[in-house]
Structure formats: C-alpha cells, structure tokens
Amino acid sequence: MRTAAALLFVIAGVAGVLEQKQLMDKKLLDQLGHLFPPGTVFSPKEGTPQHFSAYITDPVSGGQTLAGFAFWTTELEPLERGYDGPIKILVGMDTRGILTGVLVIEHREPYGAFSIDPPRFAAQFKGKDIRHAFRVGDVSPASPLTSSVRFAASIDRAVF
C-alpha cells in the first residue's frame, strides 16, 4: 500500500513538473502551433542544441507522447547566412526526422517579398526527411536568387 502511494506521488509530481514546463508565450505558441497538430503542448527551450519539445496528449489516458521538436535556425552552428545576414526560421520536425513545417520569421533579404516570403517557399519543406541532403532546386524561390535558398537548404546540415 505504501509503495502504491509513493508511486502515485511520483507520477503526480512528474505530471505537475510537465505542466509547469509548458510554454506560455502566446506569440511563440501561435508560431509553434503552425508546425504541429492542434492540441500540441510545448516545453520551454531546452537541451543542446536548444529546442522546444512538442507533446501530443492522448484524449483517453491524458498521457503525453513526444511528437517532435522545433528549433530556431539562428541558434544552430554553423550560423548560415542569406544574402544580407541570418534568416530566422522556426523549424518543426517529428521524431522520425521528417520536417513538419517551417516558418520564415525574420530576414533582411532585399528581394524577400518574392523569394522567401511567399507561403509556397516554406511549404516546400514540409514532409522532407532531414537525412536526405537538400539541394538548390529541391527547395527554390520564385526567382533566381540563390544565397537565401542555399541557406534554407542547409537546414539539414545544421541539425546533424
């Protein structure tokens, strides 16, 4: 009986810690929410390299399962650069290494409005396996600009 009570106490404590570790920043939660299914909860940034862990809650048991990770490209080494500096991209990846999506958050590209800003640019990454090299042409902008595309195609090198 005492062992069962101790086990329940430990389980409740772990659940409480996980609840406390959930991310609360509304803007960031909205951005992360574009990369994973509705109802996913996210940890604060943790680990090396820094990342957010994404958890899906089972509606029946209430248990949480690791669904994937999200990270900022600007926090990975080597820091890849576009034409006019770093391009801040939020990347979502499932536990199998498949990209769940990317969001271009910030850049100083002179031609971003028709190269990396359109939704179709970010949409090209969804479903790509990070173990397969991305090359210019696999992911491409609407224009012949290549430095930003080379940066974006280097996401797989930055992760591994």
Side-chain angles (χ1 to χ4, degrees), residues 34-47:
H34 283 84
L35 304 176
F36 291 92
T40 303
V41 295
F42 300 94
S43 72
K45 250 191 312 188
E46 58 192 0

Side-chain angles (χ1 to χ4, degrees), residues 45-105:
K45 250 191 312 188
E46 58 192 0
T48 303
Q50 291 279 287
H51 63 276
F52 304 95
S53 295
Y55 296 92
I56 295 178
T57 304
D58 182 294
V60 177
S61 71
Q64 293 186 321
T65 304
L66 181 65
F69 308 95
F71 56 90
W72 295 107
T73 55
T74 50
E75 295 179 351
L76 299 175
E77 294 293 333
L79 179 60
E80 298 284 347
R81 301 176 65 81
Y83 176 80
D84 192 23
I87 301 172
K88 189 173 186 178
I89 297 177
L90 184 61
V91 178
M93 176 179 69
D94 71 16
T95 56
R96 298 171 298 137
I98 305 300
L99 296 180
T100 59
V102 303
L103 292 173
V104 178
I105 303 297

